[in-house]
Amino acid sequence: MSTLVPTFQIGPIPVYGDLLLAPMDGITDLPFRLLTRRLGSAVSYTEFITAGDVIHGTPYLPRRLAYREEERPFGFQLCDDQPDRILQAALKLCELKPDFIDINLGCSARHVSGRGAGAGLLKTPEKIAEIFSSLTQNLPVPVTAKIRLGWDDSSRNYLQIAQIIVENGGALIAVHGRTRAQQYTGRADWQAIAEVVRAVPVPVIANGDVTCTADIERIKTLTGCAAVMVGRAAVGNPWIFSRLDRSQVPLAAVQETMHMHLREMLAYYGSPDGLVRFRKFTRAYLAPYPLPREHLTPLLTCPDPNTFLHLLDDIFTLLPSLPPADPSPSTLNFTE
């Protein structure tokens, strides 16, 4: 039996570590989750899954639901606006033996929040209470939430939402320190996260504007959070979960990781789909380097995996040996 002391718990489930990969649509598939877990991320969340897709099935659903035992603690993130549909979907997902179910109350994408799901649910606190009451009374696993601070600056109801979640059995709250209206602009309000930490008895995970290892310690000190969730910054720097900034990662390690990540993508999605999906990661991995367009464009348009790897290796022979500057995660386009 391990003698390690858990960093925090999700209900009865121990978590060993204080850094987590944020769930991100189009990003946190099985290959990327495995990569970050091996580098130190302590918990795995899926990309958000809509309740209707779970209930009725879609061609892509099996890939969204796939996970491995080494990812535990592991949770499915559900997104929907109807409490009864969320419960029906969550019960089906529990048949796959996750460690927890997470409810998405933070997605700011218009096609999600505009129909009342994701961050749209922050406008209907009574519905959130119904969702958590129903889930915690009927599921065999803990239920958690990822929230934003509110719909906009005139309705920053994060303390009310956090209390509702806890009063209805929620086991953990991850807080992105922005409103839905902010999307990913402006600065994340870490002080608001600290208010949530002081207000509720369950673990609170801090999320927003963590771009380097120094930010990890700053947000922990300011908020008193149980752990830190990293989103956009992890796409180009999965080594952040090993507490390394990109400037500390050798070129050879970047090259080796890109090879490994692509192999995992091809094994998971097949060719050419795996290569096409890998292009967004390619941009992020190479963002710190001063690559001329004539080198980058052929790589990002290459349809053949073997040719892609040859072009990639050619690029690494051309790159300067100086350590790269950290890229800005704000240039990456996807939703958390």
Side-chain angles (χ1 to χ4, degrees):
M1 181 178 295
S2 174
T3 59
L4 292 176
V5 176
T7 308
F8 64 96
Q9 294 192 184
I10 306 174
I13 301 162
V15 178
Y16 299 94
D18 63 353
L19 292 177
L20 289 66
L21 175 65
M24 293 175 283
D25 189 38
I27 296 294
T28 49
D29 56 11
L30 177 60
F32 191 60
R33 294 197 314 265
L34 287 172
L35 170 61
T36 58
R37 288 303 293 268
R38 292 162 185 167
L39 289 169
S41 177
V43 176
S44 285
Y45 293 74
T46 61
E47 307 166 76
F48 76 73
I49 304 162
T50 64
D53 287 347
V54 175
I55 294 166
H56 303 295
T58 63
Y60 72 82
L61 185 62
R63 283 206 180 102
R64 289 235 175 182
L65 300 183
Y67 72 95
R68 295 191 188 162
E69 284 297 308
E70 67 189 89
E71 293 192 80
R72 296 190 184 278
F74 167 84
F76 295 114
Q77 188 183 75
L78 265 176
C79 184
D80 209 273
D81 65 323
Q82 293 302 314
D84 57 342
R85 202 157 53 206
I86 290 176
L87 175 60
Q88 185 180 352
L91 287 168
K92 288 179 69 70
L93 290 178
C94 283
E95 296 173 5
L96 300 175
K97 308 296 184 185
D99 295 298
F100 63 96
I101 296 290
D102 185 72
I103 303 303
N104 184 321
L105 306 178
C107 182
S108 61
R110 182 171 300 178
H111 70 281
V112 175
S113 61
R115 65 178 178 86
L121 279 168
L122 300 175
K123 297 195 291 184
T124 56
E126 68 284 351
K127 193 178 283 189
I128 293 173
E130 183 180 352
I131 289 168
F132 276 83
S133 175
S134 174
L135 291 178
T136 57
Q137 290 180 52
N138 289 282
L139 298 188
V141 298
V143 183
T144 67
K146 187 168 189 288
I147 73 171
R148 282 184 175 241
L149 300 183
W151 182 257
D152 55 28
D153 280 339
S154 67
S155 57
R156 286 164 54 103
N157 59 346
Y158 52 94
L159 289 178
Q160 178 194 16
I161 298 300
Q163 291 285 5
I164 286 172
I165 291 167
V166 171
E167 289 169 0
N168 289 279
L172 174 146
I173 304 171
V175 184
H176 183 149
R178 289 183 172 87
T179 64
R180 183 272 173 191
Q182 282 183 275
Q183 301 277 329
Y184 296 95
T185 63
R187 293 294 302 171
D189 185 350
W190 292 357
Q191 189 57 55
I193 301 174
E195 293 175 33
V196 178
V197 172
R198 293 192 294 267
V200 299
V202 301
V204 173
I205 310 302
N207 176 227
D209 287 347
V210 176
T211 62
C212 62
T213 56
D215 288 337
I216 295 168
E217 301 312 317
R218 282 195 287 264
I219 197 170
K220 287 179 64 179
T221 299
L222 178 62
T223 66
C225 62
V228 176
M229 182 176 276
V230 185
R232 293 172 292 164
V235 182
N237 183 23
W239 300 274
I240 195 169
F241 297 107
S242 299
R243 280 179 160 77
L244 292 174
D245 291 323
R246 267 302 301 265
S247 58
Q248 298 174 286
V249 182
L251 283 176
V254 178
Q255 184 178 10
E256 180 183 359
T257 298
M258 291 185 71
H259 273 255
M260 182 273 293
H261 192 173
L262 177 58
R263 287 196 302 270
E264 294 278 356
M265 294 284 281
L266 292 170
Y268 191 59
Y269 292 107
S271 182
D273 193 25
L275 178 59
V276 172
R277 290 172 182 266
F278 188 65
R279 287 172 181 166
K280 56 180 171 284
F281 293 102
T282 300
R283 286 184 179 276
Y285 281 127
L286 297 179
Y289 307 120
L291 282 174
R293 184 181 297 272
E294 58 265 28
H295 292 295
L296 190 58
T297 299
L299 187 70
L300 294 175
T301 56
C302 178
D304 175 68
N306 289 326
T307 304
F308 176 95
L309 290 174
H310 286 305
L311 290 171
L312 181 66
D313 290 343
D314 288 343
I315 282 175
F316 274 95
T317 64
L318 296 172
L319 288 175
S321 59
L322 294 175
D326 286 336
S328 170
S330 62
T331 60
L332 302 172
N333 183 25
F334 47 81
T335 59
E336 293 182 43

